[in-house]
Structures are given as C-alpha cells and as structure tokens.
Amino acid sequence: MIRVKAERAAHGKPSRGRFGQALAVVIHAQQQEVHVSIFQDREAAFEAKFAHDEEQAFLVRAARDRRFGLWVAERLGLSGETRQAYARATVRLALSGGDGEAIISRAERDLRSRGISIRRMELRQVLLQAEMQAHTHVVGTPEMAAAIP
C-alpha cells in the first residue's frame, strides 16, 4: 500500500486508496451509462418522430388521392357506389407504385374517353387542392405542397 502511494506521488497523481479507486470506477461507469441512455432515448425519439411523420404523409397522400378520385368521378357522371369505387381505384393505383402523375394520366385518359376535354395543368391544380384539403383534414393545418410526387 505504501509503495502504491509512493508511485502515485511520484507521477503527480493523488492517492485515492482502494475505496477511492473503486468509487471512481463506479462513477465513471454510471456516467457512461447515462451518456448511452441519453443517446438511446434521443435515437428512439427520432425514430418515433420519423415513423409518425411517414404515417402522416401516407394518410395525407391516400386522402388526397381519394378526394381527387371523387372529383374525377363526379366529372365522369358517376354517383353512389360507382363513384366511391372509382375513388378507391385511384387510391389503389397510387399505392401500387403510381405517383401523382400516374393518377393524373389515368384521370385524363378516363375523361377524354367520355369526351371531356381538360388540360393536364388543371388536373394538377385539382390534385394540389385535394392535397391541401387532405393535409388540413389529416394533420389539422394547411400546408402548401412543394411538388406533386
């Protein structure tokens, strides 16, 4: 014990004794656990926020596509269950890998087949309005869409 104290004194370190060393090791370990715990908590919070944001975005897109499908079905003269079926088919098209342009192309094709002429830009505007309405309905606040995916 005297030799350990002498060696520490020679290196300029204060002698802690066995109890002091053990306490220092425990305190260091606890600090490391706190840092790891804080990091894990932050990581879990970021993952939860990401999952929440993705779910909200999915719900907004589905509501947008449904609203757009209902609008197109109305222009096609569909009503009742047929109108609802057209809206569901629009949502399924988007879910199966189609994007905003795919559902616009389908709507344009369906409208033209009935002799209804409408510009693609007008369809994009309707889709954008449907997205803003869907965002307000799902999230509770209006948000301007940057681009139609």
Side-chain angles (χ1 to χ4, degrees), residues 39-73:
F39 178 75
Q40 289 172 340
D41 291 347
R42 289 187 66 180
E43 184 178 30
F46 283 124
E47 288 174 2
K49 183 179 180 340
F50 178 80
H52 177 264
D53 290 350
E54 287 297 308
E55 180 182 6
Q56 293 285 24
F58 172 80
L59 293 173
V60 168
R61 281 191 306 274
R64 172 200 73 176
D65 298 341
R66 182 178 180 282
R67 287 173 186 268
F68 181 74
L70 289 171
W71 183 88
V72 173

mmCIF file of all heavy atoms in Angstrom, residues 39-73:
data_model
loop_
_atom_site.group_PDB
_atom_site.id
_atom_site.type_symbol
_atom_site.label_atom_id
_atom_site.label_comp_id
_atom_site.label_asym_id
_atom_site.label_seq_id
_atom_site.Cartn_x
_atom_site.Cartn_y
_atom_site.Cartn_z
ATOM 1 N N PHE A 39 -28.330 8.939 -25.303
ATOM 2 C CA PHE A 39 -28.218 8.709 -26.744
ATOM 3 C C PHE A 39 -29.327 7.777 -27.224
ATOM 4 O O PHE A 39 -29.964 8.040 -28.246
ATOM 5 C CB PHE A 39 -26.842 8.124 -27.081
ATOM 6 C CG PHE A 39 -26.681 7.825 -28.535
ATOM 7 C CD1 PHE A 39 -26.481 8.847 -29.445
ATOM 8 C CD2 PHE A 39 -26.748 6.524 -29.001
ATOM 9 C CE1 PHE A 39 -26.343 8.576 -30.798
ATOM 10 C CE2 PHE A 39 -26.608 6.241 -30.355
ATOM 11 C CZ PHE A 39 -26.405 7.275 -31.254
ATOM 12 N N GLN A 40 -29.568 6.703 -26.499
ATOM 13 C CA GLN A 40 -30.618 5.762 -26.882
ATOM 14 C C GLN A 40 -31.998 6.420 -26.827
ATOM 15 O O GLN A 40 -32.836 6.178 -27.695
ATOM 16 C CB GLN A 40 -30.582 4.524 -25.988
ATOM 17 C CG GLN A 40 -29.383 3.636 -26.258
ATOM 18 C CD GLN A 40 -29.241 2.515 -25.233
ATOM 19 O OE1 GLN A 40 -29.775 2.583 -24.139
ATOM 20 N NE2 GLN A 40 -28.495 1.470 -25.610
ATOM 21 N N ASP A 41 -32.232 7.252 -25.820
ATOM 22 C CA ASP A 41 -33.504 7.959 -25.714
ATOM 23 C C ASP A 41 -33.701 8.904 -26.899
ATOM 24 O O ASP A 41 -34.789 8.973 -27.478
ATOM 25 C CB ASP A 41 -33.587 8.754 -24.410
ATOM 26 C CG ASP A 41 -33.689 7.865 -23.179
ATOM 27 O OD1 ASP A 41 -33.948 6.653 -23.335
ATOM 28 O OD2 ASP A 41 -33.503 8.388 -22.060
ATOM 29 N N ARG A 42 -32.659 9.634 -27.249
ATOM 30 C CA ARG A 42 -32.751 10.547 -28.398
ATOM 31 C C ARG A 42 -32.964 9.787 -29.686
ATOM 32 O O ARG A 42 -33.761 10.189 -30.530
ATOM 33 C CB ARG A 42 -31.488 11.403 -28.491
ATOM 34 C CG ARG A 42 -31.400 12.442 -27.386
ATOM 35 C CD ARG A 42 -30.266 13.367 -27.585
ATOM 36 N NE ARG A 42 -30.532 14.146 -28.793
ATOM 37 C CZ ARG A 42 -29.718 15.066 -29.267
ATOM 38 N NH1 ARG A 42 -28.600 15.318 -28.648
ATOM 39 N NH2 ARG A 42 -30.007 15.738 -30.351
ATOM 40 N N GLU A 43 -32.250 8.682 -29.842
ATOM 41 C CA GLU A 43 -32.405 7.867 -31.040
ATOM 42 C C GLU A 43 -33.836 7.330 -31.149
ATOM 43 O O GLU A 43 -34.447 7.383 -32.212
ATOM 44 C CB GLU A 43 -31.408 6.707 -31.017
ATOM 45 C CG GLU A 43 -31.433 5.858 -32.267
ATOM 46 C CD GLU A 43 -30.406 4.745 -32.222
ATOM 47 O OE1 GLU A 43 -30.090 4.251 -31.119
ATOM 48 O OE2 GLU A 43 -29.946 4.349 -33.305
ATOM 49 N N ALA A 44 -34.378 6.852 -30.046
ATOM 50 C CA ALA A 44 -35.749 6.339 -30.036
ATOM 51 C C ALA A 44 -36.741 7.458 -30.356
ATOM 52 O O ALA A 44 -37.722 7.242 -31.082
ATOM 53 C CB ALA A 44 -36.067 5.712 -28.682
ATOM 54 N N ALA A 45 -36.496 8.654 -29.850
ATOM 55 C CA ALA A 45 -37.390 9.781 -30.124
ATOM 56 C C ALA A 45 -37.352 10.157 -31.600
ATOM 57 O O ALA A 45 -38.394 10.415 -32.211
ATOM 58 C CB ALA A 45 -37.002 10.981 -29.257
ATOM 59 N N PHE A 46 -36.157 10.186 -32.192
ATOM 60 C CA PHE A 46 -36.048 10.487 -33.621
ATOM 61 C C PHE A 46 -36.738 9.416 -34.461
ATOM 62 O O PHE A 46 -37.415 9.728 -35.445
ATOM 63 C CB PHE A 46 -34.583 10.621 -34.046
ATOM 64 C CG PHE A 46 -33.960 11.927 -33.660
ATOM 65 C CD1 PHE A 46 -32.816 11.961 -32.892
ATOM 66 C CD2 PHE A 46 -34.514 13.143 -34.057
ATOM 67 C CE1 PHE A 46 -32.228 13.163 -32.524
ATOM 68 C CE2 PHE A 46 -33.936 14.350 -33.701
ATOM 69 C CZ PHE A 46 -32.790 14.355 -32.933
ATOM 70 N N GLU A 47 -36.564 8.162 -34.094
ATOM 71 C CA GLU A 47 -37.218 7.081 -34.832
ATOM 72 C C GLU A 47 -38.731 7.179 -34.719
ATOM 73 O O GLU A 47 -39.447 6.968 -35.699
ATOM 74 C CB GLU A 47 -36.731 5.727 -34.332
ATOM 75 C CG GLU A 47 -35.311 5.409 -34.743
ATOM 76 C CD GLU A 47 -34.786 4.124 -34.119
ATOM 77 O OE1 GLU A 47 -35.530 3.445 -33.399
ATOM 78 O OE2 GLU A 47 -33.612 3.798 -34.379
ATOM 79 N N ALA A 48 -39.228 7.507 -33.542
ATOM 80 C CA ALA A 48 -40.677 7.643 -33.343
ATOM 81 C C ALA A 48 -41.222 8.816 -34.163
ATOM 82 O O ALA A 48 -42.282 8.711 -34.781
ATOM 83 C CB ALA A 48 -40.991 7.833 -31.865
ATOM 84 N N LYS A 49 -40.488 9.922 -34.190
ATOM 85 C CA LYS A 49 -40.926 11.084 -34.971
ATOM 86 C C LYS A 49 -40.923 10.751 -36.456
ATOM 87 O O LYS A 49 -41.852 11.096 -37.182
ATOM 88 C CB LYS A 49 -40.037 12.290 -34.706
ATOM 89 C CG LYS A 49 -40.515 13.532 -35.461
ATOM 90 C CD LYS A 49 -39.660 14.719 -35.181
ATOM 91 C CE LYS A 49 -40.081 15.980 -35.890
ATOM 92 N NZ LYS A 49 -40.911 15.907 -37.039
ATOM 93 N N PHE A 50 -39.881 10.059 -36.910
ATOM 94 C CA PHE A 50 -39.806 9.672 -38.319
ATOM 95 C C PHE A 50 -40.990 8.784 -38.681
ATOM 96 O O PHE A 50 -41.647 8.992 -39.709
ATOM 97 C CB PHE A 50 -38.488 8.951 -38.603
ATOM 98 C CG PHE A 50 -38.367 8.477 -40.026
ATOM 99 C CD1 PHE A 50 -38.011 9.361 -41.033
ATOM 100 C CD2 PHE A 50 -38.619 7.156 -40.352
ATOM 101 C CE1 PHE A 50 -37.905 8.933 -42.338
ATOM 102 C CE2 PHE A 50 -38.516 6.727 -41.667
ATOM 103 C CZ PHE A 50 -38.163 7.611 -42.659
ATOM 104 N N ALA A 51 -41.285 7.786 -37.848
ATOM 105 C CA ALA A 51 -42.411 6.881 -38.108
ATOM 106 C C ALA A 51 -43.727 7.653 -38.128
ATOM 107 O O ALA A 51 -44.582 7.426 -38.995
ATOM 108 C CB ALA A 51 -42.453 5.779 -37.052
ATOM 109 N N HIS A 52 -43.888 8.583 -37.192
ATOM 110 C CA HIS A 52 -45.106 9.391 -37.141
ATOM 111 C C HIS A 52 -45.243 10.247 -38.397
ATOM 112 O O HIS A 52 -46.325 10.323 -39.001
ATOM 113 C CB HIS A 52 -45.094 10.267 -35.888
ATOM 114 C CG HIS A 52 -46.270 11.174 -35.794
ATOM 115 N ND1 HIS A 52 -46.237 12.477 -36.211
ATOM 116 C CD2 HIS A 52 -47.531 10.946 -35.339
ATOM 117 C CE1 HIS A 52 -47.423 13.027 -36.013
ATOM 118 N NE2 HIS A 52 -48.224 12.122 -35.488
ATOM 119 N N ASP A 53 -44.162 10.897 -38.809
ATOM 120 C CA ASP A 53 -44.188 11.755 -39.994
ATOM 121 C C ASP A 53 -44.500 10.943 -41.247
ATOM 122 O O ASP A 53 -45.253 11.394 -42.119
ATOM 123 C CB ASP A 53 -42.857 12.492 -40.162
ATOM 124 C CG ASP A 53 -42.640 13.549 -39.094
ATOM 125 O OD1 ASP A 53 -43.583 13.857 -38.335
ATOM 126 O OD2 ASP A 53 -41.491 14.044 -38.993
ATOM 127 N N GLU A 54 -43.920 9.749 -41.351
ATOM 128 C CA GLU A 54 -44.192 8.889 -42.503
ATOM 129 C C GLU A 54 -45.655 8.442 -42.532
ATOM 130 O O GLU A 54 -46.278 8.397 -43.588
ATOM 131 C CB GLU A 54 -43.268 7.663 -42.502
ATOM 132 C CG GLU A 54 -41.842 7.982 -42.880
ATOM 133 C CD GLU A 54 -41.716 8.517 -44.293
ATOM 134 O OE1 GLU A 54 -42.238 7.872 -45.244
ATOM 135 O OE2 GLU A 54 -41.105 9.595 -44.465
ATOM 136 N N GLU A 55 -46.184 8.113 -41.373
ATOM 137 C CA GLU A 55 -47.590 7.709 -41.298
ATOM 138 C C GLU A 55 -48.499 8.870 -41.699
ATOM 139 O O GLU A 55 -49.454 8.673 -42.462
ATOM 140 C CB GLU A 55 -47.937 7.244 -39.884
ATOM 141 C CG GLU A 55 -49.386 6.820 -39.746
ATOM 142 C CD GLU A 55 -49.749 6.405 -38.332
ATOM 143 O OE1 GLU A 55 -48.924 6.552 -37.411
ATOM 144 O OE2 GLU A 55 -50.880 5.931 -38.163
ATOM 145 N N GLN A 56 -48.194 10.063 -41.207
ATOM 146 C CA GLN A 56 -48.991 11.236 -41.567
ATOM 147 C C GLN A 56 -48.926 11.489 -43.079
ATOM 148 O O GLN A 56 -49.945 11.777 -43.703
ATOM 149 C CB GLN A 56 -48.500 12.483 -40.819
ATOM 150 C CG GLN A 56 -48.716 12.443 -39.346
ATOM 151 C CD GLN A 56 -50.164 12.683 -38.953
ATOM 152 O OE1 GLN A 56 -51.095 12.463 -39.699
ATOM 153 N NE2 GLN A 56 -50.346 13.130 -37.733
ATOM 154 N N ALA A 57 -47.734 11.389 -43.645
ATOM 155 C CA ALA A 57 -47.578 11.615 -45.086
ATOM 156 C C ALA A 57 -48.373 10.584 -45.887
ATOM 157 O O ALA A 57 -49.011 10.922 -46.893
ATOM 158 C CB ALA A 57 -46.101 11.565 -45.468
ATOM 159 N N PHE A 58 -48.345 9.334 -45.451
ATOM 160 C CA PHE A 58 -49.111 8.283 -46.119
ATOM 161 C C PHE A 58 -50.601 8.593 -46.068
ATOM 162 O O PHE A 58 -51.316 8.495 -47.078
ATOM 163 C CB PHE A 58 -48.826 6.928 -45.462
ATOM 164 C CG PHE A 58 -49.716 5.836 -45.952
ATOM 165 C CD1 PHE A 58 -49.463 5.194 -47.157
ATOM 166 C CD2 PHE A 58 -50.832 5.449 -45.225
ATOM 167 C CE1 PHE A 58 -50.304 4.201 -47.619
ATOM 168 C CE2 PHE A 58 -51.675 4.452 -45.682
ATOM 169 C CZ PHE A 58 -51.414 3.817 -46.885
ATOM 170 N N LEU A 59 -51.092 8.976 -44.891
ATOM 171 C CA LEU A 59 -52.516 9.278 -44.742
ATOM 172 C C LEU A 59 -52.928 10.481 -45.587
ATOM 173 O O LEU A 59 -54.010 10.490 -46.188
ATOM 174 C CB LEU A 59 -52.846 9.518 -43.272
ATOM 175 C CG LEU A 59 -52.730 8.297 -42.354
ATOM 176 C CD1 LEU A 59 -52.921 8.699 -40.895
ATOM 177 C CD2 LEU A 59 -53.735 7.221 -42.751
ATOM 178 N N VAL A 60 -52.063 11.485 -45.661
ATOM 179 C CA VAL A 60 -52.358 12.665 -46.477
ATOM 180 C C VAL A 60 -52.424 12.273 -47.949
ATOM 181 O O VAL A 60 -53.353 12.675 -48.668
ATOM 182 C CB VAL A 60 -51.317 13.788 -46.248
ATOM 183 C CG1 VAL A 60 -51.437 14.884 -47.300
ATOM 184 C CG2 VAL A 60 -51.471 14.370 -44.854
ATOM 185 N N ARG A 61 -51.453 11.467 -48.426
ATOM 186 C CA ARG A 61 -51.466 11.055 -49.833
ATOM 187 C C ARG A 61 -52.708 10.228 -50.159
ATOM 188 O O ARG A 61 -53.323 10.411 -51.213
ATOM 189 C CB ARG A 61 -50.200 10.271 -50.173
ATOM 190 C CG ARG A 61 -48.988 11.148 -50.408
ATOM 191 C CD ARG A 61 -47.814 10.367 -50.991
ATOM 192 N NE ARG A 61 -47.444 9.201 -50.214
ATOM 193 C CZ ARG A 61 -46.611 9.203 -49.185
ATOM 194 N NH1 ARG A 61 -46.053 10.333 -48.801
ATOM 195 N NH2 ARG A 61 -46.330 8.090 -48.545
ATOM 196 N N ALA A 62 -53.071 9.315 -49.268
ATOM 197 C CA ALA A 62 -54.260 8.485 -49.515
ATOM 198 C C ALA A 62 -55.520 9.348 -49.550
ATOM 199 O O ALA A 62 -56.385 9.162 -50.414
ATOM 200 C CB ALA A 62 -54.372 7.403 -48.442
ATOM 201 N N ALA A 63 -55.636 10.299 -48.631
ATOM 202 C CA ALA A 63 -56.800 11.191 -48.617
ATOM 203 C C ALA A 63 -56.808 12.082 -49.853
ATOM 204 O O ALA A 63 -57.864 12.337 -50.446
ATOM 205 C CB ALA A 63 -56.801 12.036 -47.346
ATOM 206 N N ARG A 64 -55.635 12.543 -50.269
ATOM 207 C CA ARG A 64 -55.527 13.366 -51.482
ATOM 208 C C ARG A 64 -56.016 12.586 -52.686
ATOM 209 O O ARG A 64 -56.841 13.064 -53.471
ATOM 210 C CB ARG A 64 -54.062 13.772 -51.697
ATOM 211 C CG ARG A 64 -53.815 14.471 -53.032
ATOM 212 C CD ARG A 64 -52.361 14.443 -53.444
ATOM 213 N NE ARG A 64 -51.945 13.128 -53.884
ATOM 214 C CZ ARG A 64 -50.747 12.865 -54.362
ATOM 215 N NH1 ARG A 64 -49.828 13.815 -54.423
ATOM 216 N NH2 ARG A 64 -50.427 11.651 -54.752
ATOM 217 N N ASP A 65 -55.527 11.355 -52.827
ATOM 218 C CA ASP A 65 -55.884 10.540 -53.981
ATOM 219 C C ASP A 65 -57.376 10.206 -53.989
ATOM 220 O O ASP A 65 -58.018 10.200 -55.035
ATOM 221 C CB ASP A 65 -55.044 9.271 -54.010
ATOM 222 C CG ASP A 65 -53.558 9.575 -54.148
ATOM 223 O OD1 ASP A 65 -53.202 10.706 -54.569
ATOM 224 O OD2 ASP A 65 -52.743 8.705 -53.802
ATOM 225 N N ARG A 66 -57.929 9.970 -52.806
ATOM 226 C CA ARG A 66 -59.361 9.684 -52.714
ATOM 227 C C ARG A 66 -60.178 10.909 -53.123
ATOM 228 O O ARG A 66 -61.128 10.814 -53.902
ATOM 229 C CB ARG A 66 -59.731 9.270 -51.294
ATOM 230 C CG ARG A 66 -61.193 8.914 -51.151
ATOM 231 C CD ARG A 66 -61.521 8.450 -49.719
ATOM 232 N NE ARG A 66 -62.913 8.111 -49.607
ATOM 233 C CZ ARG A 66 -63.905 9.001 -49.500
ATOM 234 N NH1 ARG A 66 -63.632 10.283 -49.488
ATOM 235 N NH2 ARG A 66 -65.164 8.605 -49.407
ATOM 236 N N ARG A 67 -59.810 12.082 -52.623
ATOM 237 C CA ARG A 67 -60.529 13.308 -52.975
ATOM 238 C C ARG A 67 -60.433 13.583 -54.471
ATOM 239 O O ARG A 67 -61.418 13.974 -55.109
ATOM 240 C CB ARG A 67 -59.974 14.502 -52.196
ATOM 241 C CG ARG A 67 -60.346 14.506 -50.738
ATOM 242 C CD ARG A 67 -59.607 15.621 -49.995
ATOM 243 N NE ARG A 67 -59.836 15.542 -48.583
ATOM 244 C CZ ARG A 67 -60.813 16.178 -47.939
ATOM 245 N NH1 ARG A 67 -61.637 16.951 -48.609
ATOM 246 N NH2 ARG A 67 -60.961 16.040 -46.642
ATOM 247 N N PHE A 68 -59.239 13.389 -55.016
ATOM 248 C CA PHE A 68 -59.058 13.598 -56.452
ATOM 249 C C PHE A 68 -59.914 12.604 -57.233
ATOM 250 O O PHE A 68 -60.575 12.977 -58.209
ATOM 251 C CB PHE A 68 -57.575 13.452 -56.822
ATOM 252 C CG PHE A 68 -57.291 13.685 -58.277
ATOM 253 C CD1 PHE A 68 -57.307 14.972 -58.800
ATOM 254 C CD2 PHE A 68 -56.996 12.627 -59.119
ATOM 255 C CE1 PHE A 68 -57.043 15.192 -60.148
ATOM 256 C CE2 PHE A 68 -56.733 12.839 -60.460
ATOM 257 C CZ PHE A 68 -56.755 14.126 -60.981
ATOM 258 N N GLY A 69 -59.918 11.345 -56.811
ATOM 259 C CA GLY A 69 -60.734 10.327 -57.480
ATOM 260 C C GLY A 69 -62.216 10.666 -57.438
ATOM 261 O O GLY A 69 -62.939 10.471 -58.419
ATOM 262 N N LEU A 70 -62.685 11.176 -56.312
ATOM 263 C CA LEU A 70 -64.094 11.583 -56.206
ATOM 264 C C LEU A 70 -64.404 12.747 -57.153
ATOM 265 O O LEU A 70 -65.467 12.789 -57.782
ATOM 266 C CB LEU A 70 -64.426 11.976 -54.762
ATOM 267 C CG LEU A 70 -64.478 10.832 -53.751
ATOM 268 C CD1 LEU A 70 -64.602 11.375 -52.329
ATOM 269 C CD2 LEU A 70 -65.629 9.879 -54.075
ATOM 270 N N TRP A 71 -63.472 13.684 -57.257
ATOM 271 C CA TRP A 71 -63.664 14.820 -58.150
ATOM 272 C C TRP A 71 -63.767 14.348 -59.602
ATOM 273 O O TRP A 71 -64.666 14.775 -60.338
ATOM 274 C CB TRP A 71 -62.498 15.806 -57.979
ATOM 275 C CG TRP A 71 -62.640 17.047 -58.806
ATOM 276 C CD1 TRP A 71 -63.276 18.196 -58.456
ATOM 277 C CD2 TRP A 71 -62.127 17.258 -60.126
ATOM 278 N NE1 TRP A 71 -63.201 19.110 -59.476
ATOM 279 C CE2 TRP A 71 -62.503 18.555 -60.522
ATOM 280 C CE3 TRP A 71 -61.397 16.470 -61.021
ATOM 281 C CZ2 TRP A 71 -62.166 19.094 -61.759
ATOM 282 C CZ3 TRP A 71 -61.063 16.998 -62.257
ATOM 283 C CH2 TRP A 71 -61.447 18.297 -62.616
ATOM 284 N N VAL A 72 -62.847 13.468 -60.013
ATOM 285 C CA VAL A 72 -62.860 12.956 -61.385
ATOM 286 C C VAL A 72 -64.136 12.156 -61.626
ATOM 287 O O VAL A 72 -64.786 12.297 -62.679
ATOM 288 C CB VAL A 72 -61.605 12.093 -61.671
ATOM 289 C CG1 VAL A 72 -61.705 11.425 -63.038
ATOM 290 C CG2 VAL A 72 -60.347 12.945 -61.593
ATOM 291 N N ALA A 73 -64.521 11.317 -60.669
ATOM 292 C CA ALA A 73 -65.732 10.502 -60.820
ATOM 293 C C ALA A 73 -66.960 11.385 -61.004
ATOM 294 O O ALA A 73 -67.853 11.060 -61.800
ATOM 295 C CB ALA A 73 -65.903 9.604 -59.594
#
